[in-house]
Amino acid sequence: MIFLKNISKSILYTISSIIILTIILTIFNYFSIFNGTIVKVFKVINLIISILIGSVLIGNKSDNKGWLEGLKFGLIMAVIIFMFNFLGLNRLDYLTYVVIILTSIIGGMLGISLKKNWFL
């Protein structure tokens, strides 16, 4: 039950950071500050930052093996993003799913190591 509470909280933070960063990116695109190529790059960076935030939180809540918690979180987020892509809302390559999983593993390890120093 504790795992479900922690994972749902991390997913909530991840989705809300995706929404906030997407709104910021949309505003920059609307005022023609960025061109199309830069927007595509920032979409991936937006996803990486959001996954990293959620996986650091889940790693911080775990006792040990942050890479395993990050892997679980990464697989769950990859499935959620795949389901949205399957609906036709967006198209991502398989390399993006690998980046999502690797980013969440790194974030889980960072969350464990920052556990003593931060107040998350």
Side-chain angles (χ1 to χ4, degrees), residues 35-119:
N35 60 7
T37 308
I38 296 175
V39 170
K40 290 179 185 178
V41 171
F42 275 115
K43 281 170 135 179
V44 175
I45 292 172
N46 177 8
L47 186 63
I48 290 172
I49 290 172
S50 301
I51 295 292
L52 191 65
I53 289 170
S55 59
V56 166
L57 287 175
I58 195 77
N60 197 2
K61 298 293 182 184
S62 65
D63 294 330
N64 54 6
K65 295 183 183 173
W67 65 270
L68 185 61
E69 296 296 323
L71 179 65
K72 290 181 206 176
F73 181 73
L75 290 174
I76 290 171
M77 286 307 297
V79 166
I80 290 171
I81 291 171
F82 178 76
M83 288 174 19
F84 277 111
N85 291 336
F86 189 71
L87 292 173
L89 298 175
N90 195 2
R91 183 173 175 261
L92 294 176
D93 298 335
Y94 292 113
L95 182 63
T96 308
Y97 296 115
V98 172
V99 169
I100 288 171
I101 293 170
L102 289 177
T103 302
S104 65
I105 290 172
I106 292 169
M109 290 188 290
L110 282 174
I112 284 287
S113 65
L114 294 175
K115 190 173 190 173
K116 298 174 186 172
N117 300 333
W118 284 27
F119 55 90

Side-chain angles (χ1 to χ4, degrees), residues 4-66:
L4 289 176
K5 180 182 174 185
N6 290 339
I7 200 82
S8 62
K9 190 175 184 181
S10 295
I11 288 174
L12 180 69
Y13 278 111
T14 301
I15 291 175
S16 57
S17 65
I18 286 174
I19 291 170
I20 291 169
L21 290 172
T22 302
I23 289 171
I24 292 170
L25 183 64
T26 304
I27 290 170
F28 284 149
N29 191 24
Y30 179 76
F31 291 114
S32 299
I33 296 173
F34 295 148
N35 60 7
T37 308
I38 296 175
V39 170
K40 290 179 185 178
V41 171
F42 275 115
K43 281 170 135 179
V44 175
I45 292 172
N46 177 8
L47 186 63
I48 290 172
I49 290 172
S50 301
I51 295 292
L52 191 65
I53 289 170
S55 59
V56 166
L57 287 175
I58 195 77
N60 197 2
K61 298 293 182 184
S62 65
D63 294 330
N64 54 6
K65 295 183 183 173

